[in-house]
Amino acid sequence: SVPLGQGSVLFDVAETQRSGTLVGTDRSRNTMALGYDYRMSVRTDLYAVYLGDRITGSGRESSIGAGIRHRF
């Protein structure tokens, strides 16, 4: 995460390699997430995240998530 304004920019990348008889063929998976976490107060923040995912032999898929978090 990188501080920006009242919150933080979030970024993550992952690559997974799988091979062997359990999966049948060699596959790789690339995942990327980009988001922003906005701090409203000491215990409450808003967040939004975009997730892109690709598996060898399949198309690219994406998801978007957003919410509010309050710490008790």
Side-chain angles (χ1 to χ4, degrees), residues 43-63:
R43 297 182 350 179
T44 306
D45 58 315
L46 298 172
Y47 62 89
V49 178
Y50 167 80
L51 175 76
D53 195 26
R54 182 168 179 247
I55 298 175
T56 303
S58 300
R60 182 172 297 278
E61 297 293 331
S62 59
S63 302

Side-chain angles (χ1 to χ4, degrees), residues 7-40:
S8 297
V9 173
L10 310 169
F11 181 72
D12 189 33
V13 175
E15 181 178 357
T16 306
Q17 299 288 331
R18 298 196 76 179
S19 62
T21 56
L22 292 177
V23 288
T25 60
D26 293 345
R27 292 186 179 189
S28 67
R29 181 177 196 162
N30 297 310
T31 306
M32 183 275 306
L34 178 64
Y36 187 73
D37 188 17
Y38 177 76
R39 183 172 222 137
M40 295 176 58

